[in-house]
Tab-separated table of all heavy atoms in Angstrom:
chain	number	residue	atom	x	y	z
A	181	TYR	N	9.280	2.363	2.499
A	181	TYR	CA	8.153	2.298	1.552
A	181	TYR	C	6.946	1.565	2.149
A	181	TYR	O	5.822	2.074	2.142
A	181	TYR	CB	8.591	1.606	0.257
A	181	TYR	CG	7.443	1.309	-0.689
A	181	TYR	CD1	6.874	2.314	-1.455
A	181	TYR	CD2	6.910	0.019	-0.804
A	181	TYR	CE1	5.805	2.048	-2.315
A	181	TYR	CE2	5.848	-0.260	-1.649
A	181	TYR	CZ	5.306	0.756	-2.405
A	181	TYR	OH	4.245	0.495	-3.244
A	182	GLY	N	7.178	0.368	2.691
A	182	GLY	CA	6.074	-0.425	3.226
A	182	GLY	C	5.333	0.295	4.333
A	182	GLY	O	4.095	0.284	4.387
A	183	ARG	N	6.077	0.940	5.228
A	183	ARG	CA	5.452	1.685	6.325
A	183	ARG	C	4.590	2.822	5.791
A	183	ARG	O	3.466	3.049	6.271
A	183	ARG	CB	6.550	2.226	7.243
A	183	ARG	CG	6.039	2.830	8.545
A	183	ARG	CD	5.871	4.337	8.504
A	183	ARG	NE	7.125	5.034	8.304
A	183	ARG	CZ	7.185	6.350	8.140
A	183	ARG	NH1	6.085	7.083	8.103
A	183	ARG	NH2	8.340	6.950	7.936
A	184	VAL	N	5.061	3.537	4.764
A	184	VAL	CA	4.309	4.675	4.224
A	184	VAL	C	3.033	4.202	3.514
A	184	VAL	O	1.989	4.844	3.595
A	184	VAL	CB	5.192	5.528	3.296
A	184	VAL	CG1	4.399	6.705	2.708
A	184	VAL	CG2	6.412	6.064	4.055
A	185	VAL	N	3.109	3.043	2.817
A	185	VAL	CA	1.895	2.472	2.204
A	185	VAL	C	0.861	2.175	3.289
A	185	VAL	O	-0.324	2.531	3.151
A	185	VAL	CB	2.217	1.192	1.400
A	185	VAL	CG1	0.920	0.500	0.961
A	185	VAL	CG2	3.058	1.518	0.183
A	186	ARG	N	1.293	1.551	4.380
A	186	ARG	CA	0.362	1.253	5.483
A	186	ARG	C	-0.194	2.534	6.089
A	186	ARG	O	-1.392	2.622	6.402
A	186	ARG	CB	1.057	0.401	6.551
A	186	ARG	CG	1.255	-1.057	6.132
A	186	ARG	CD	1.726	-1.911	7.297
A	186	ARG	NE	3.084	-1.594	7.692
A	186	ARG	CZ	4.172	-2.205	7.233
A	186	ARG	NH1	4.054	-3.192	6.350
A	186	ARG	NH2	5.371	-1.852	7.650
A	187	ASP	N	0.664	3.539	6.243
A	187	ASP	CA	0.210	4.831	6.784
A	187	ASP	C	-0.898	5.422	5.911
A	187	ASP	O	-1.905	5.919	6.421
A	187	ASP	CB	1.372	5.830	6.833
A	187	ASP	CG	2.422	5.482	7.879
A	187	ASP	OD1	2.160	4.587	8.712
A	187	ASP	OD2	3.503	6.107	7.843
A	188	ALA	N	-0.712	5.379	4.592
A	188	ALA	CA	-1.693	5.941	3.664
A	188	ALA	C	-3.009	5.183	3.731
A	188	ALA	O	-4.093	5.782	3.737
A	188	ALA	CB	-1.136	5.934	2.243
A	189	CYS	N	-2.913	3.866	3.787
A	189	CYS	CA	-4.130	3.035	3.880
A	189	CYS	C	-4.890	3.322	5.169
A	189	CYS	O	-6.115	3.501	5.164
A	189	CYS	CB	-3.780	1.554	3.794
A	189	CYS	SG	-3.131	1.014	2.207
A	190	GLU	N	-4.156	3.395	6.277
A	190	GLU	CA	-4.789	3.658	7.571
A	190	GLU	C	-5.444	5.030	7.607
A	190	GLU	O	-6.474	5.225	8.271
A	190	GLU	CB	-3.750	3.551	8.699
A	190	GLU	CG	-3.303	2.131	8.985
A	190	GLU	CD	-2.155	2.069	9.979
A	190	GLU	OE1	-1.845	3.113	10.598
A	190	GLU	OE2	-1.567	0.981	10.136
A	191	ALA	N	-4.863	5.983	6.877
A	191	ALA	CA	-5.387	7.356	6.875
A	191	ALA	C	-6.582	7.527	5.943
A	191	ALA	O	-7.199	8.596	5.934
A	191	ALA	CB	-4.273	8.329	6.481
A	192	GLY	N	-6.896	6.490	5.155
A	192	GLY	CA	-8.098	6.565	4.332
A	192	GLY	C	-7.881	6.764	2.847
A	192	GLY	O	-8.829	7.111	2.133
A	193	ALA	N	-6.670	6.529	2.356
A	193	ALA	CA	-6.455	6.602	0.900
A	193	ALA	C	-7.262	5.512	0.214
A	193	ALA	O	-7.355	4.392	0.713
A	193	ALA	CB	-4.974	6.433	0.571
A	194	ASN	N	-7.844	5.837	-0.942
A	194	ASN	CA	-8.608	4.847	-1.711
A	194	ASN	C	-7.749	4.133	-2.740
A	194	ASN	O	-8.005	2.975	-3.075
A	194	ASN	CB	-9.770	5.518	-2.447
A	194	ASN	CG	-10.696	6.268	-1.510
A	194	ASN	OD1	-10.844	7.477	-1.630
A	194	ASN	ND2	-11.316	5.578	-0.573
A	195	ILE	N	-6.739	4.841	-3.248
A	195	ILE	CA	-5.912	4.315	-4.345
A	195	ILE	C	-4.461	4.659	-4.056
A	195	ILE	O	-4.145	5.802	-3.713
A	195	ILE	CB	-6.351	4.923	-5.698
A	195	ILE	CG1	-7.806	4.510	-6.017
A	195	ILE	CG2	-5.413	4.503	-6.838
A	195	ILE	CD1	-8.425	5.254	-7.208
A	196	ILE	N	-3.567	3.671	-4.177
A	196	ILE	CA	-2.130	3.904	-4.024
A	196	ILE	C	-1.475	3.779	-5.395
A	196	ILE	O	-1.657	2.773	-6.091
A	196	ILE	CB	-1.473	2.887	-3.063
A	196	ILE	CG1	-2.161	2.894	-1.685
A	196	ILE	CG2	0.026	3.166	-2.927
A	196	ILE	CD1	-1.958	4.131	-0.878
A	197	VAL	N	-0.713	4.796	-5.774
A	197	VAL	CA	0.014	4.802	-7.045
A	197	VAL	C	1.506	4.763	-6.726
A	197	VAL	O	1.987	5.530	-5.897
A	197	VAL	CB	-0.313	6.065	-7.864
A	197	VAL	CG1	0.420	6.054	-9.203
A	197	VAL	CG2	-1.823	6.192	-8.084
A	198	THR	N	2.246	3.857	-7.384
A	198	THR	CA	3.676	3.718	-7.091
A	198	THR	C	4.503	3.601	-8.353
A	198	THR	O	4.220	2.777	-9.220
A	198	THR	CB	3.933	2.477	-6.203
A	198	THR	OG1	3.486	2.734	-4.879
A	198	THR	CG2	5.429	2.145	-6.140
A	199	GLY	N	5.543	4.447	-8.440
A	199	GLY	CA	6.533	4.371	-9.511
A	199	GLY	C	7.927	4.426	-8.924
A	199	GLY	O	8.121	4.143	-7.741
A	200	ALA	N	8.917	4.792	-9.738
A	200	ALA	CA	10.326	4.860	-9.316
A	200	ALA	C	10.821	3.508	-8.827
A	200	ALA	O	11.295	3.350	-7.703
A	200	ALA	CB	10.545	5.941	-8.259
A	201	GLY	N	10.680	2.509	-9.691
A	201	GLY	CA	11.091	1.147	-9.372
A	201	GLY	C	9.957	0.183	-9.666
A	201	GLY	O	8.832	0.608	-9.965
A	202	LEU	N	10.249	-1.098	-9.617
A	202	LEU	CA	9.227	-2.116	-9.882
A	202	LEU	C	8.640	-2.600	-8.554
A	202	LEU	O	9.297	-3.369	-7.826
A	202	LEU	CB	9.838	-3.310	-10.629
A	202	LEU	CG	9.996	-3.201	-12.144
A	202	LEU	CD1	10.549	-4.512	-12.690
A	202	LEU	CD2	8.687	-2.851	-12.821
A	203	PRO	N	7.423	-2.203	-8.220
A	203	PRO	CA	6.850	-2.558	-6.912
A	203	PRO	C	6.289	-3.976	-6.887
A	203	PRO	O	5.083	-4.199	-6.783
A	203	PRO	CB	5.743	-1.508	-6.737
A	203	PRO	CG	5.299	-1.203	-8.132
A	203	PRO	CD	6.527	-1.331	-8.998
A	204	THR	N	7.169	-4.964	-6.958
A	204	THR	CA	6.743	-6.367	-7.046
A	204	THR	C	6.100	-6.869	-5.753
A	204	THR	O	5.396	-7.874	-5.758
A	204	THR	CB	7.933	-7.276	-7.411
A	204	THR	OG1	9.001	-7.020	-6.488
A	204	THR	CG2	8.413	-7.006	-8.824
A	205	ASN	N	6.365	-6.175	-4.628
A	205	ASN	CA	5.779	-6.606	-3.350
A	205	ASN	C	4.759	-5.597	-2.821
A	205	ASN	O	4.397	-5.630	-1.641
A	205	ASN	CB	6.874	-6.846	-2.305
A	205	ASN	CG	7.694	-5.586	-2.022
A	205	ASN	OD1	7.623	-4.616	-2.765
A	205	ASN	ND2	8.479	-5.622	-0.958
A	206	MET	N	4.271	-4.732	-3.658
A	206	MET	CA	3.329	-3.683	-3.248
A	206	MET	C	2.112	-4.223	-2.470
A	206	MET	O	1.731	-3.658	-1.442
A	206	MET	CB	2.884	-2.915	-4.500
A	206	MET	CG	2.089	-1.651	-4.249
A	206	MET	SD	1.688	-0.905	-5.867
A	206	MET	CE	0.732	0.515	-5.390
A	207	PRO	N	1.479	-5.326	-2.915
A	207	PRO	CA	0.300	-5.814	-2.195
A	207	PRO	C	0.589	-6.282	-0.771
A	207	PRO	O	-0.331	-6.389	0.045
A	207	PRO	CB	-0.179	-6.991	-3.059
A	207	PRO	CG	0.398	-6.746	-4.416
A	207	PRO	CD	1.722	-6.107	-4.150
A	208	GLU	N	1.855	-6.570	-0.487
A	208	GLU	CA	2.238	-7.056	0.837
A	208	GLU	C	1.818	-6.077	1.934
A	208	GLU	O	1.434	-6.482	3.038
A	208	GLU	CB	3.767	-7.242	0.877
A	208	GLU	CG	4.311	-7.882	2.128
A	208	GLU	CD	4.004	-9.367	2.203
A	208	GLU	OE1	3.993	-10.039	1.155
A	208	GLU	OE2	3.753	-9.837	3.330
A	209	PHE	N	1.882	-4.792	1.610
A	209	PHE	CA	1.723	-3.769	2.634
A	209	PHE	C	0.290	-3.255	2.765
A	209	PHE	O	0.014	-2.418	3.617
A	209	PHE	CB	2.680	-2.619	2.347
A	209	PHE	CG	4.082	-3.084	2.099
A	209	PHE	CD1	4.653	-2.998	0.829
A	209	PHE	CD2	4.833	-3.652	3.120
A	209	PHE	CE1	5.941	-3.456	0.591
A	209	PHE	CE2	6.119	-4.111	2.891
A	209	PHE	CZ	6.680	-4.017	1.621
A	210	SER	N	-0.600	-3.733	1.907
A	210	SER	CA	-1.998	-3.280	1.985
A	210	SER	C	-2.948	-4.457	2.226
A	210	SER	O	-4.148	-4.348	1.982
A	210	SER	CB	-2.391	-2.556	0.692
A	210	SER	OG	-2.329	-3.435	-0.423
A	211	LYS	N	-2.399	-5.570	2.722
A	211	LYS	CA	-3.199	-6.793	2.922
A	211	LYS	C	-4.439	-6.560	3.795
A	211	LYS	O	-5.492	-7.123	3.557
A	211	LYS	CB	-2.340	-7.878	3.586
A	211	LYS	CG	-1.419	-8.625	2.636
A	211	LYS	CD	-0.624	-9.658	3.426
A	211	LYS	CE	0.296	-10.458	2.518
A	211	LYS	NZ	1.142	-11.391	3.305
A	212	LYS	N	-4.291	-5.723	4.792
A	212	LYS	CA	-5.401	-5.480	5.719
A	212	LYS	C	-6.434	-4.499	5.153
A	212	LYS	O	-7.422	-4.191	5.816
A	212	LYS	CB	-4.860	-4.952	7.054
A	212	LYS	CG	-4.006	-5.957	7.812
A	212	LYS	CD	-3.506	-5.361	9.119
A	212	LYS	CE	-2.623	-6.359	9.867
A	212	LYS	NZ	-2.068	-5.770	11.124
A	213	PHE	N	-6.172	-4.004	3.954
A	213	PHE	CA	-7.039	-2.992	3.354
A	213	PHE	C	-7.431	-3.416	1.937
A	213	PHE	O	-7.007	-2.806	0.944
A	213	PHE	CB	-6.332	-1.634	3.327
A	213	PHE	CG	-5.847	-1.183	4.679
A	213	PHE	CD1	-4.564	-1.508	5.110
A	213	PHE	CD2	-6.678	-0.471	5.527
A	213	PHE	CE1	-4.110	-1.108	6.361
A	213	PHE	CE2	-6.234	-0.055	6.776
A	213	PHE	CZ	-4.947	-0.387	7.203
A	214	PRO	N	-8.232	-4.483	1.802
A	214	PRO	CA	-8.557	-5.009	0.466
A	214	PRO	C	-9.329	-4.033	-0.407
A	214	PRO	O	-9.353	-4.178	-1.629
A	214	PRO	CB	-9.399	-6.252	0.773
A	214	PRO	CG	-9.926	-6.042	2.160
A	214	PRO	CD	-8.878	-5.252	2.878
A	215	GLU	N	-9.931	-3.011	0.210
A	215	GLU	CA	-10.694	-2.029	-0.574
A	215	GLU	C	-9.791	-0.990	-1.246
A	215	GLU	O	-10.239	-0.233	-2.108
A	215	GLU	CB	-11.719	-1.316	0.331
A	215	GLU	CG	-11.138	-0.320	1.314
A	215	GLU	CD	-10.458	-0.941	2.541
A	215	GLU	OE1	-10.464	-2.181	2.671
A	215	GLU	OE2	-9.924	-0.175	3.368
A	216	VAL	N	-8.506	-0.950	-0.857
A	216	VAL	CA	-7.574	0.019	-1.445
A	216	VAL	C	-7.061	-0.505	-2.782
A	216	VAL	O	-6.510	-1.604	-2.866
A	216	VAL	CB	-6.386	0.298	-0.492
A	216	VAL	CG1	-5.367	1.216	-1.154
A	216	VAL	CG2	-6.896	0.928	0.809
A	217	ALA	N	-7.262	0.277	-3.845
A	217	ALA	CA	-6.802	-0.116	-5.183
A	217	ALA	C	-5.311	0.168	-5.322
A	217	ALA	O	-4.803	1.166	-4.808
A	217	ALA	CB	-7.590	0.646	-6.238
A	218	LEU	N	-4.607	-0.726	-6.041
A	218	LEU	CA	-3.158	-0.613	-6.216
A	218	LEU	C	-2.830	-0.373	-7.680
A	218	LEU	O	-3.240	-1.137	-8.556
A	218	LEU	CB	-2.466	-1.882	-5.719
A	218	LEU	CG	-2.723	-2.261	-4.248
A	218	LEU	CD1	-1.953	-3.520	-3.885
A	218	LEU	CD2	-2.369	-1.113	-3.306
C-alpha cells in the first residue's frame, strides 16, 4: 500500500482516496508531497 501511494504521488496524482480498511497511517506515505490531498 505505502509503495503504491508514493507511486501515485510521484506520477502526479492530486488526490488519494483510500478505503477497504482504516488508513490510520495514510499520511506517512505522502510526506514529501504536501500538495496531495488525502
Side-chain angles (χ1 to χ4, degrees):
Y181 171 77
R183 189 264 296 175
V184 179
V185 171
R186 286 190 290 268
D187 290 349
C189 293
E190 288 173 11
N194 303 118
I195 297 170
I196 304 291
V197 181
T198 287
L202 277 183
T204 53
N205 60 346
M206 190 179 178
E208 186 73 35
F209 310 110
S210 63
K211 280 180 179 176
K212 295 180 181 177
F213 305 91
E215 73 284 358
V216 175
L218 302 181

